[in-house]
């Protein structure tokens, strides 16, 4: 790819020229060295437990973002701060495909009441390689003074980034997690770094994570519900049924969301699983669940974090499905741009309304 300077990038995006082959996120070609925010695509879906396709999401989101208009209601010209998306790691995608085939063998063995130790070891070793890859890429960008975000891939993808932030942040930070699921299972289906275990692993391995606040949860196990209770002051959850009941009673989004946002510390990491939204916004996600947030509710929740004066230090967007008509990636591209604007506004790189 031939890169642009930030000045060139701004001019092109403001003109709204038709996208060219090879353009990056929102039609950009910004040199990552000139960006404030660097997006790391992670084409991974080794441990998905229902639908497949999310490994293709980073490239699908990149492509669908080309028809996204770059002005925004809440955030004033996010692109002027510089947003760059790295090239997708083809070798990591290849490893994901291999690990996925081995994971299927593990699941088949479990269903017959046995354990395929060889395949299980392959998947867990591959997941360790994934974590190391994302960690190293994140550390490199953080050391260069960039803000970093992960575009998945399944929800196991961002652990490397969270660990990189854990190792580089001077202060503790909280996580705001939007999802249909708690993702608090220990080694789900035997996979240490399952997509269903991301926050079990985060809370276990990242000592600077002081609070986990979850929104939209509506499909979960007794193990996970109990674990959230065991976290005591380190955990809080606005279950979807509770949220919907409050909204139906006439409460505003401010009234429903504020008590949970207020529990977050000054520094916040955002983790957005697209299945936290209603399935009409993500029909091809791996594990869709009825209910969930409307797109506009998610948009406003993210904006409320910015308005609260908190610093967004990083984020991820995961589990976007691979739909031939592009709808899932279309929605994903817009959620991603909202997240970019929120981080940049919270860090005073741009203004907000």
């Amino acid at each position: 790819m031939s890169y642009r300077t930030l000045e060139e990038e701004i001019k092109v995006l403001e003109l709204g020229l038709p996208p060219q082959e090879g353009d990056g996120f929102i039609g950009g070609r910004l040199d990552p060295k000139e960006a404030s925010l660097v997006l790391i695509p992670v084409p991974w879906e080794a441990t998905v437990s229902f639908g497949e396709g999310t490994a293709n999401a980073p490239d699908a989101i990149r492509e669908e973002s080309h028809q996204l208009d770059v002005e925004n209601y809440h955030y004033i010209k996010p692109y002027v701060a510089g947003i760059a998306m790295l090239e997708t790691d083809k070798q990591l995608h290849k490893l994901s495909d291999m690990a996925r085939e081995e994971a299927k063998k593990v699941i088949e063995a479990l269903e017959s009441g046995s354990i395929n130790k060889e395949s299980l070891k392959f998947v867990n070793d591959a997941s360790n390689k994934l974590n190391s890859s994302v960690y190293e890429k994140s550390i490199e960008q953080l050391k260069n003074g960039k803000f970093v975000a992960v575009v998945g891939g399944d929800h196991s993808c961002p652990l490397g980034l969270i660990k990189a932030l854990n190792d580089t942040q001077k202060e503790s930070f909280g996580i705001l997690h939007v999802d249909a699921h708690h993702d608090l299972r220990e080694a789900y289906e035997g996979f240490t770094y399952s997509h269903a275990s991301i926050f079990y692993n985060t809370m276990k391995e990242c000592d600077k994570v002081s609070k986990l606040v979850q929104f939209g949860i509506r499909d979960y196990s007794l193990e996970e519900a109990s674990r959230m209770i065991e976290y005591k002051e380190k955990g809080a959850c606005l279950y979807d049924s509770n949220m919907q009941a409050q909204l139906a009673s006439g409460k505003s989004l401010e009234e429903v969301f504020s008590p949970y946002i207020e529990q977050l510390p000054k520094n916040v990491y955002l983790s957005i699983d697209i299945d936290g939204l209603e399935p009409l916004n993500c029909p091809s996600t791996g594990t869709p669940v009825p209910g969930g947030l409307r797109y506009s509710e998610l948009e406003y929740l993210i904006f409320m974090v910015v308005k609260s004066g908190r610093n967004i230090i990083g984020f991820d967007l995961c589990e976007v499905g691979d739909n031939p008509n592009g709808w899932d990636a279309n929605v994903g591209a817009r959620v991603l741009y909202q997240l970019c604007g929120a981080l940049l506004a919270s860090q005073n790189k741009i203004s907000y309304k």
Side-chain angles (χ1 to χ4, degrees):
M1 178 189 293
S2 57
Y3 289 127
R4 301 184 188 118
T5 66
L6 182 56
E7 182 179 3
E8 291 170 338
E9 179 91 334
I10 292 170
K11 287 181 179 178
V12 169
L13 294 178
E14 289 188 338
L15 286 172
L17 299 176
Q20 303 296 313
E21 185 177 352
D23 280 354
F25 182 63
I26 61 172
R29 288 177 176 261
L30 179 65
D31 187 335
K33 294 178 181 178
E34 294 203 34
S36 294
L37 171 59
V38 175
L39 308 177
I40 301 176
V42 185
W44 190 264
E45 59 176 343
T47 67
V48 292
S49 46
F50 187 64
E52 299 179 355
T54 190
N56 300 322
D59 286 338
I61 289 171
R62 190 197 312 264
E63 183 175 344
E64 290 300 321
S65 75
H66 294 169
Q67 54 87 41
L68 185 160
D69 288 323
V70 293
E71 299 306 311
N72 188 275
Y73 181 81
H74 292 303
Y75 313 111
I76 300 174
K77 301 183 183 299
Y79 56 89
V80 302
I83 303 167
M85 189 172 187
L86 302 182
E87 293 296 312
T88 301
D89 187 334
K90 294 181 180 179
Q91 291 303 311
L92 196 60
H93 200 162
K94 183 177 179 180
L95 179 61
S96 172
D97 290 343
M98 294 169 62
R100 181 66 194 141
E101 291 306 309
E102 295 302 315
K104 289 177 182 178
K105 297 176 185 178
V106 174
I107 296 168
E108 288 172 3
L110 287 174
E111 290 173 347
S112 64
S114 60
I115 299 175
N116 186 329
K117 293 182 179 179
E118 184 178 348
S119 292
L120 181 59
K121 183 179 186 302
F122 184 95
V123 176
N124 285 334
D125 288 347
S127 294
N128 278 320
K129 292 176 182 177
L130 160 74
N131 293 336
S132 295
S133 173
V134 176
Y135 179 88
E136 290 165 5
K137 290 170 184 172
S138 299
I139 284 288
E140 178 184 0
Q141 297 301 330
L142 290 168
K143 287 183 176 179
N144 288 334
K146 310 301 182 183
F147 296 105
V148 182
V150 158
V151 184
D154 73 32
H155 215 157
S156 68
C157 291
L159 183 60
L161 170 56
I162 298 172
K163 292 181 77 169
L165 290 168
N166 187 76
D167 291 351
T168 56
Q169 289 289 305
K170 294 180 179 179
E171 300 177 0
S172 63
F173 60 96
I175 295 176
L176 187 157
H177 169 214
V178 177
D179 204 321
H181 313 86
H182 276 304
D183 289 352
L184 288 170
R185 297 174 187 260
E186 181 179 0
Y188 184 57
E189 297 179 323
F191 305 125
T192 303
Y193 292 105
S194 168
H195 72 105
S197 304
I198 176 65
F199 291 109
Y200 171 82
N201 291 321
T202 295
M203 299 300 280
K204 181 181 178 182
E205 300 181 20
C206 300
D207 60 342
K208 286 183 183 171
V209 176
S210 60
K211 189 82 177 189
L212 173 64
V213 179
Q214 301 184 314
F215 291 80
I217 311 301
R218 54 195 187 277
D219 207 32
Y220 52 94
S221 66
L222 176 60
E223 172 195 357
E224 294 174 292
S226 300
R227 185 158 286 127
M228 177 54 72
I229 293 171
E230 289 168 4
Y231 287 149
K232 297 180 180 178
E233 70 279 358
K234 290 190 70 173
C237 180
L238 176 59
Y239 288 96
D240 188 60
S241 293
N242 184 4
M243 183 187 79
Q244 301 298 346
Q246 291 189 63
L247 292 173
S249 72
K251 287 189 176 182
S252 67
L253 291 176
E254 294 267 359
E255 292 172 312
V256 176
F257 291 156
S258 288
Y260 293 87
I261 291 175
E262 288 169 1
Q263 296 183 54
L264 290 164
K266 181 69 173 177
N267 298 315
V268 181
Y269 177 92
L270 304 182
S271 185
I272 310 298
D273 185 322
I274 203 73
D275 69 33
L277 290 174
E278 293 177 320
L280 64 89
N281 287 300
C282 53
S284 301
T285 190
T287 47
V289 181
L293 284 75
R294 297 177 178 177
Y295 176 88
S296 58
E297 291 169 344
L298 174 61
E299 177 186 322
Y300 195 64
L301 171 61
I302 294 168
F303 183 55
M304 283 183 65
V305 177
V306 177
K307 286 202 304 177
S308 74
R310 287 167 171 79
N311 301 318
I312 300 173
I313 60 172
F315 65 80
D316 64 73
L317 173 64
C318 295
E319 306 279 0
V320 174
D322 184 22
N323 189 315
N325 68 17
W327 174 245
D328 293 71
N330 184 309
V331 174
R334 284 161 172 75
V335 173
L336 181 57
Y337 196 52
Q338 293 289 336
L339 288 164
C340 292
L343 183 148
L344 294 167
S346 77
Q347 296 289 348
N348 298 315
K349 295 293 183 179
I350 60 169
S351 300
Y352 64 91
K353 299 176 185 177

